[in-house]
Amino acid sequence: MRMKKYEFWFVVGSQFLYGPEVLETVAARAQEMAKELSVSLPYPLVYKVTAKTNREISEVVKEANYDDACAGIVTWCHTFSPSKMWINGLAELQKPWCHLATQYNREIPNEEIDMDFMNLNQAAHGDREHGFLGARLRKPRKIIAGHWQDEDVRKRLGDWMRSAVGAAFSRQLKVMRFGDNMREVAVTEGDKVEAQTRLGWQVNTWPVGKLAQTMDAVTDAEIDALMDAYRAAYDFATDDLETVRYQAREEIAMKKMLDEEGCMAFSNTFQDLYGMRQLPGLASQHLMAQGYGYGGEGDWKVAAMTAILKAMGEEGNGASAFMEDYTYHLVKGQEYSLGAHMLEVCPSLAADRPRIEVHPLGIGDREAPARLVFEGKEGDAIVVSLVDMGGRLRLICQDIHCVKPILPMPNLPVARVMWQAEPSLTTGVECWITAGGAHHTVLSYDVTAEMMKDWARIMDIEFVHITKGTTVESLEKELFLNDLAWKLK
Ligand code: MN
């Protein structure tokens, strides 16, 4: 995956006051830390400089801004590092920034500690001077405090790296639209100029007729090869191989058009399938399994967000999927949301090996399509929704717990995921509706709410988090204040 090329730069603050020996020690330790941290981080941390002057900081920032491989900088002050010399550099910084408030030594050594030790190991006050400047400049930054060898510190630093890579991915993301948004639907609409300005997305349309032509040009040999891939990954619960082969034809044609334009996300709509015999089901599902983002009913926002969460996840293609809140189970004490879509649920969510089935589809006026059917796996997850509030974008995130579906639902012909929502199903729904969250979401098992908060901070968009502790009253207040704040911004 293209995410693999990214790295992060370690910029360590110091000053000349303590003499060359201290500076050599700081540089050697910073190098050692970067090397050791890189072993357990998803992307390499590369030691760059022990910064002692305004010029050194400005230069490393300029270099970082224009280096495509650099996805962000991590700063730390081993000694005191007067912050006025950081102003010019940080004011120019365009890459994500993490302030790692750590310390080389874990313990205060009882016998060894003297004033030389104190002058060398000053992060406790050096990082405060550094932090003041970040606050004073109103620079968005992630702050992580703790010993650099601790597992939780490494996990959080790694997660922040994934968010920063999600930002880099977002800024070069292209979305291919087949057809427009579903007629009359509001929440799937949005300002594509604002989305590109803020998030970098290039959202454009291609004719469904061109897709139909590209499908006609797909060869039997290409379809045979993709059928082998389907057989390797899925069980065939149908004898209707022609229908499955038609989905393969659609997948091959869509992938050709996406790859030709460098698009990592696409949307389509059942209202515009001109020249196509089936709504893509299995075709879209298998494209999602390969890391492409998808949105139904022309929902290009959720298509882009699906691609971004996939890129942020494990191995650059995590367990994140386009999802829709479909129907509720409202039995007291047993309240669940059932998520699915007409066809297009990504098999990265599957608890077991998915089955290929063919069933009629009441919507779209086309032939019965092949689709993957499975149950979603158990585990903590989030659902996120990006909505256009007019003048700004709002990202809503809710904590959920996926369960094994409590009913077998043998006649439901689509993949399904069942979950409990925080703080409860009904209060969660009240909060979601209060915030204007969409029916389409991205559900993710491996991207966390903290990662989405960091991503939203980097992209400079509003972030709303519905958690165990959220009440409708607190959320209404937060949204009211957010409205005021974002009008002033
Ligand atoms: Mn839908």
Side-chain angles (χ1 to χ4, degrees), residues 178-180 206-216 246 250 268-280 364-366:
F178 294 114
D180 203 346
W206 273 262
V208 180
K210 165 124 194 255
L211 177 57
Q213 277 177 357
T214 311
M215 282 167 53
D216 288 344
Y246 192 76
E250 291 182 326
N268 60 13
T269 168
F270 64 87
Q271 287 175 332
D272 189 354
L273 296 173
Y274 202 88
M276 298 167 76
R277 282 171 24 215
Q278 297 175 24
L279 177 66
D365 190 27
R366 287 291 185 280

Side-chain angles (χ1 to χ4, degrees), residues 30 161 174 195 380 405 418 461:
M161 285 180 163
K174 294 182 180 180
D380 292 343
M418 191 172 258
I461 62 169

